[in-house]
Amino acid sequence: MDDETQSIITVILVVFGAWAILSKFAQPEMPFKREFNCTPHDENTPVVVPLVRDGNNIFLLDLNVNGAWIKCAVDTGSTELVVSGHDCQRCNLSSGSIAVPQGKRDIMAYVSQVDTVVWAKKPVKFLAWELGDHTPDIPVCIGGNVDTGVVTKRTGTSNYNILGIGPDDDGFMADLMPHLPRAYSIFIESFDSAQLVLYRPTASLDRSMRIHKYPLTGRGIEIKGIQGQKVKGITLMFDTGANAMSLPERVYDAIGAMGKLKIEMPDGEVFSFPYNKLNHWNAQVHATRGNLIVIGVTNMVGYGVGVEQAEDGQYITVQRK
């Protein structure tokens, strides 16, 4: 793993834990039946996966792991699949658990959730629908054998299965789509619904999706301005595994109690994200040391964020209604 990839993972793992308030899932109804009445997927055809919000404002996906159905938090801030094991008493997830394999134990730290895991390849599947000309009532099957961290012990305040789809040459997305280019985008339609889009990026598809692309680095995207004022040294990241907005102290102190955070991107595009410092329940605004802005999923309504990985590099993608 190169230094830049390690930097990315370090930053996003630290960011991930900021959102956790509750320790158990709210259990929303998922948007499809738990059965595999589906057709094989052509990897060159973009697909969409409906997601549903839980009580913590985190979006979940129904995933079949080695025959067991579980709910997973879809997290752009991590890169691996981490699921509860059958002997993990602290996990206590009613949505299913996985038999623990034999092997060396490892520690996966998400600040508010620290897991002892054993790694193994596990067959996973989930359902999706093709974009474009297709039969809407017949989904396609997405799946493969992926590296899976099965939890044997958990400490901390949160309690999630984690589907990490962040960029990594050896992570979940690389196992699922081994060949470049590959891309995903999570479009937050409302506070209650979102869509995960998986696709092979092309110039024409980027144009049709009205995507803005920014080089991915371990420091985030270096922005040009905030609230109409030019800034230097401030970077931006998006995290669907977080339900809070984190701001450098100088930015936090300069804005009012509520309103829209207007961020000018490197290409001059201005994106606006609503915030409310008085909201202390699953939509918090935090002041932090350093120069990194993190936009959590609660503040992303109306936007799609994702990553494209290609031979010429990795890019954060942003689109809006």
Side-chain angles (χ1 to χ4, degrees):
M1 183 181 296
D2 60 29
D3 291 340
E4 181 171 278
T5 302
Q6 184 66 50
S7 297
I8 295 169
I9 293 174
T10 300
V11 171
I12 57 186
L13 286 179
V14 170
V15 166
F16 176 85
W19 48 262
I21 294 179
L22 300 181
S23 64
K24 295 184 68 176
F25 277 132
Q27 298 289 338
E29 291 296 322
M30 302 307 288
F32 45 73
K33 294 182 179 179
R34 292 180 167 187
E35 58 188 25
F36 283 131
N37 180 21
C38 53
T39 60
H41 172 230
D42 176 0
E43 286 191 358
N44 293 318
T45 303
V47 296
V48 61
V49 184
L51 307 177
V52 173
R53 181 182 66 89
D54 76 348
N56 286 334
N57 289 350
I58 301 301
F59 284 99
L60 310 180
L61 178 147
D62 248 15
L63 184 70
N64 188 286
V65 182
N66 202 29
W69 282 104
I70 62 174
K71 285 180 171 62
C72 291
V74 179
D75 179 33
T76 57
S78 59
T79 64
E80 304 287 355
L81 175 62
V82 177
V83 301
S84 62
H86 66 79
D87 63 348
C88 176
Q89 295 181 356
R90 167 64 178 81
C91 294
N92 192 29
L93 296 177
S94 61
S95 52
S97 59
I98 309 300
V100 177
Q102 297 294 319
K104 182 180 178 181
R105 280 164 166 70
D106 195 6
I107 301 295
M108 299 293 289
Y110 298 97
V111 181
S112 61
Q113 178 174 311
V114 180
D115 293 334
T116 302
V117 304
V118 179
W119 291 100
K121 286 283 188 181
K122 296 285 186 180
V124 305
K125 288 184 179 180
F126 56 93
L127 301 180
W129 280 259
E130 292 182 350
L131 293 174
D133 296 331
H134 64 285
T135 304
D137 294 333
I138 301 178
V140 295
C141 298
I142 309 292
N145 290 318
V146 304
D147 288 325
T148 304
V150 183
V151 180
T152 63
K153 179 182 178 182
R154 172 167 292 163
T155 59
T157 58
S158 62
N159 189 18
Y160 279 95
N161 297 310
I162 307 298
L163 179 57
I165 61 173
D168 189 357
D169 291 335
D170 192 31
F172 177 84
M173 288 298 297
D175 284 342
L176 199 66
M177 302 173 69
H179 305 296
L180 296 176
R182 56 177 172 262
Y184 70 83
S185 181
I186 297 182
F187 192 82
I188 312 301
E189 300 174 297
S190 69
F191 288 107
D192 296 313
S193 65
Q195 293 183 340
L196 169 64
V197 180
L198 305 176
Y199 61 98
R200 297 281 187 196
T202 64
S204 61
L205 188 57
D206 283 351
R207 285 193 299 270
S208 67
M209 295 174 68
R210 300 194 297 277
I211 284 177
H212 297 267
K213 295 169 60 173
Y214 308 99
L216 177 62
T217 72
R219 297 178 297 108
I221 305 168
E222 187 163 351
I223 62 175
K224 293 176 65 175
I226 297 175
Q227 310 301 77
Q229 302 296 315
K230 298 299 181 182
V231 296
K232 289 186 177 180
I234 294 181
T235 56
L236 169 68
M237 283 189 173
F238 299 94
D239 189 359
T240 62
N243 57 17
M245 177 185 288
S246 298
L247 302 175
E249 289 180 342
R250 57 174 166 150
V251 176
Y252 183 93
D253 293 340
I255 62 176
M258 63 185 68
K260 290 186 176 181
L261 183 69
K262 297 179 180 180
I263 298 176
E264 183 180 356
M265 305 297 282
D267 58 359
E269 193 74 17
V270 177
F271 298 135
S272 297
F273 304 98
Y275 71 90
N276 184 351
K277 294 180 181 178
L278 305 179
N279 188 326
H280 301 295
W281 182 252
N282 289 340
Q284 305 96 332
V285 183
H286 298 301
T288 61
R289 295 181 179 178
N291 295 306
L292 176 66
I293 294 174
V294 178
I295 305 296
V297 67
T298 310
N299 309 101
M300 293 184 199
V301 174
Y303 285 88
V305 297
V307 169
E308 288 189 5
Q309 293 178 279
E311 296 291 350
D312 65 345
Q314 300 184 119
Y315 302 90
I316 295 176
T317 63
V318 185
Q319 59 187 134
R320 59 181 170 186
K321 288 182 179 178

